[in-house]
Amino acid sequence: MCGIAGIVGALESDSVRRVQQMLGALEHRGPDQHGLWCSGETGTGAVLGHRRLSIIDLSEAGRQPMVHPESGVALSYNGECYNYLELRAQLEGLGHAFHSRSDTEVILKAYVQWGEGAIERLRGMFALVIWDPRDRALLAVRDRMGIKPLYYATNSAAGGGAQVAFASELRALAAVNPQLGRLDPQAISAYLWHGFVPGPRTMFDGVRLLEPGCMARFGENGRLLRERTYWQIPRSDAPANRARAATEAAEELDRAVSLRLVSDVPLGVFLSGGIDSSVIATIAQRRSRNPIQTFNISFEDPEFDESSYATRVAAALGTDHHDIPLNEETFRQKLPAALHALDQPTFDAINTYFVSRAVREAGLTVALSGAGGDELFGGYASFRDLPRAQRVSAVAGWLPRRLSRAVGRAASRALLGAPSEVEPQTRWGKLADMVDSRGDLVAAYQCSYALFTQTLLRDLQLNRNTETRWGLYPELHSKLEREIRGVPALPAISHLELSSFIGQRLLRDTDTASMAVSLEARVPLLDHQFIEAVSRLVVSDRFLPLGRKSFLRDVMAGDVPPEIFDRPKAGFVLPLEKWCKRSLLPEIEATFEDLNLANRVGLNCESVSRVWRAFKKGGPGLYWSRVW
């Protein structure tokens, strides 16, 4: 797990220095080593940089960027290739010799052997760039689910010509490019809707995020030659043999976890006590001769503390369990560091930061997470509520739009009572918007996750002419509609959860928060071969009964008492609602009262002030996430 940076195109006298600056901004991602490589040609070429967090083969032989001596192909790579031993054996059979135990050397020689086709053989998480002197072009690749990010920006070189700068984090690009001072109005609009910036745009105008499952080739002149998708989330496919499909999915899950236990440094498991993390811990403990290390965060407030469930799971499995308390004062003291860790605004990475920091301070470098189970197997309320909402909004579609929205607002007021300065922004408060979706599942999904109603969103923004539709850029909205067209409701919602919530928010937040403390987070449930196997399950076997995630429960049968999970679902949530009104109040108050700050980032200061006042007064339907 590492950080990468570089430049391709028209090289200048300071290009190497600029890449060194970018690496400096990424030191937290790779504190163990750093390396730099330049193609050596004058005029055009590439400079590749690398920061290393050593996980496999801790020796100098694994140093990057790595160059293939015969072909001159150079690789800078961030991530893990879990099937590298299999690929190594294949390559040795084809005559390749290896000088290290690293997966980096395997990927490099796989590319030399198979070209771009090598990427489709990789099973893992990665963002990588390869300079190929044979066609004088740079290949940039991102893993299938988008676990590892890769940002890029096109700049004009001082002497003429173009160049592309790329990096694992936005902060690295900003460190060397003063042109990145302009915020993207469409990104701001999308951020207000989601609480994060969906790709491929970023908060900076002109900086793009390579999309999951994509590869792009840039010429030596810094121009994008082509971009293509090499993998996408599979559509649900009815199996020829129902029982065999279930067996294969269970086998793939076992293999996905087992592959992610390979490490030359200490490793553990995030264990919340829920089904998803518990199934990871179960398989990991089955594969280990000694007790594995598991970790969870506990709170003083019993309303938020679920540590007892994690303790029960750990006791059943016999793990070496660590309960890490987090109180309000500790959170307040460490919050500046947590906010500094964020690469661009997101409202949901703080919890991951604190878990990651605690695990890293306990001496671990790698941790396995249960992310993905709810999205794959229907664990969220969205799987129950969205089909209903879609049907109701489709029936209400015959009403004139103005009337349907009025009916929605009236129903909301009847259910929630009189609003405060700000109309309710939660489930029933968004009823008018949901009715307005008129049976469009993408719109209904977007509405269910929106932080604000469309009315308040318009009030919050100074620039109301942004081209977003239901919080999405037009091209992204069309892409999602195209991908779920003709797919049954439950697999379609799963597709949206995986591509939107997981792909656009949770994975990026996890990468940023964990790498801020030099911790590698691995996500076995998002292994692409496991996802493909799950897509071949019968819909009822995969999703029903809704919310139970029966497939994952069955995997744990005999190891963990099933009654542990017979409780209302609760995610890992910090008590931020209370803390915002107590220890964090002065700082938040000062921020909201800074009217010039609001204007500078494109927000209507009066509307922003109304949201804050309504939250402080306890207005109905206005939760902490809207303020945060």
Side-chain angles (χ1 to χ4, degrees), residues 85-113:
L85 292 176
E86 297 172 20
L87 294 174
R88 176 176 174 141
Q90 294 175 29
L91 290 163
E92 286 175 330
L94 293 169
H96 291 270
F98 287 84
H99 308 287
S100 73
R101 295 186 298 107
S102 72
D103 55 344
T104 306
E105 188 178 6
V106 172
I107 294 174
L108 178 62
K109 292 183 175 177
Y111 175 82
V112 171
Q113 178 68 40

Side-chain angles (χ1 to χ4, degrees), residues 274-416:
I275 293 172
D276 304 345
S277 62
S278 296
V279 76
I280 302 302
T282 297
I283 298 173
Q285 188 58 71
R286 287 174 184 168
R287 296 287 167 266
S288 177
R289 296 177 181 176
N290 302 309
I292 63 167
Q293 295 196 66
T294 53
F295 296 81
N296 82 283
I297 296 287
S298 62
F299 300 106
E300 297 170 339
D301 191 332
E303 180 184 349
F304 295 89
D305 183 44
E306 294 207 318
S307 58
S308 61
Y309 301 113
T311 301
R312 290 176 65 187
V313 173
L317 295 175
T319 72
D320 177 11
H321 189 61
H322 308 261
D323 181 89
I324 303 167
L326 177 62
N327 59 38
E328 185 172 358
E329 179 57 25
T330 301
F331 179 85
R332 188 189 65 78
Q333 290 177 358
K334 295 182 177 180
L335 181 60
L339 292 174
H340 177 72
L342 303 185
D343 196 36
Q344 61 178 327
T346 172
F347 84 96
D348 197 32
I350 298 295
N351 50 6
T352 306
Y353 173 84
F354 279 96
V355 173
S356 299
R357 179 168 179 154
V359 172
R360 187 66 167 121
E361 289 175 348
L364 272 68
T365 308
V366 178
L368 274 63
S369 160
D374 287 315
E375 294 80 4
L376 279 170
F377 296 101
Y380 293 134
S382 59
F383 288 87
R384 180 188 65 248
D385 296 341
L386 280 178
R388 297 174 183 170
Q390 185 186 18
R391 291 192 294 270
V392 171
S393 63
V395 170
W398 60 271
L399 291 171
R401 193 171 297 271
R402 182 174 296 179
L403 179 57
S404 67
R405 292 189 65 81
V407 169
R409 283 194 295 271
S412 173
R413 294 191 180 200
L415 290 163
L416 296 175

Side-chain angles (χ1 to χ4, degrees), residues 71-74 111 115 130-139 217:
S71 66
V73 171
Y111 175 82
I130 298 173
W131 170 254
D132 192 337
R134 297 170 299 184
D135 62 359
R136 298 189 58 77
L138 181 129
L139 179 69
R217 190 171 282 276

